[in-house]
Amino acid sequence: LGEAITAVQDVHEYFPDDQPLQDILSKLESRRRGAVVRSRQRKADEHVASIGDLFAAAQGARNFGDSMAAIQGYERVLAADPDKQTELYWKAEEEIRQIKAELSARGREASRSGLSAMKSGDYLTARAQFRETLRLDPFNQVAQRRQDEVQAKLDQLAQKFWSEAEIYEKTNQLEMAIGRYRKVMEYCASASSPLSQKAKKRIDALMQ
């Protein structure tokens, strides 16, 4: 159409008063405008369809019970429609809100158990419960802070057990030393933590 319009315009310069030529030019320009409108509409339809695919994928994750994957999927819907042009944007927002509310409710009981254990000084149980809370409700910032507080206490105890283990090892009380080193590993945040790795090496050395 673009080439045709250019060709007619070139001829029209020589015959500016030719009405049939003007009519042809008007029809061609009208067709081009229509093509532009259809192209824009097609792209808009394709975009809406792609958002629909994203929403369907998120729904699939939600139906499967994978809450975190569902939230990520709904967030992709929001990102794909930043101007909030489709109804799916608002549906995705509502789904995210509902999922977070469900996760919060599921993690509440574990959080209460963790707080109770923390108050009684049972820091290992408290850590386990707060970890369970965060597994169920990853957005629970209070549980994250509580877990950090509990782990700080456990780190102190791990250092205490390390000191005791060294004393037992130096006095040749090897079984007691191994027991304390195992406590160090149990109380550390993870098996990959430096102190836990050191304790494991001491246990391996003493058991040879």
Side-chain angles (χ1 to χ4, degrees), residues 24-42:
I24 291 173
L25 185 60
S26 296
K27 289 179 181 178
L28 289 173
E29 289 177 339
S30 177
R31 286 179 60 189
R32 180 165 64 177
R33 286 193 296 272
V36 170
V37 170
R38 288 192 297 274
S39 177
R40 288 175 179 170
Q41 185 60 50
R42 183 172 63 254

Side-chain angles (χ1 to χ4, degrees), residues 45-59 77 80 86 88:
D45 292 343
E46 290 172 353
H47 183 57
V48 170
S50 69
I51 293 174
D53 291 341
L54 292 173
F55 189 87
Q59 284 288 82
V77 173
T86 69
L88 292 179

Side-chain angles (χ1 to χ4, degrees), residues 87-159:
E87 182 183 359
L88 292 179
Y89 180 95
W90 306 106
K91 286 185 176 181
E93 267 200 342
E94 177 60 19
E95 290 290 342
I96 291 173
R97 187 195 66 76
Q98 289 183 8
I99 292 174
K100 287 185 176 181
E102 291 168 6
L103 292 174
S104 179
R106 285 161 52 189
R108 201 168 293 131
E109 182 58 36
S111 182
R112 282 196 290 264
S113 298
L115 189 58
S116 177
M118 184 179 179
K119 289 179 178 178
S120 66
D122 185 356
Y123 297 116
L124 286 175
T125 298
R127 181 176 67 183
Q129 289 301 315
F130 288 130
R131 283 179 174 175
E132 177 66 7
T133 300
L134 291 169
R135 185 188 71 79
L136 296 170
D137 182 12
F139 305 97
N140 192 324
Q141 295 181 357
V142 173
Q144 182 63 62
R145 288 197 298 271
R146 291 283 187 265
Q147 180 182 256
D148 293 342
E149 292 172 13
V150 166
Q151 189 56 54
K153 293 287 188 182
L154 291 173
D155 289 341
Q156 292 175 5
L157 291 170
Q159 287 289 349

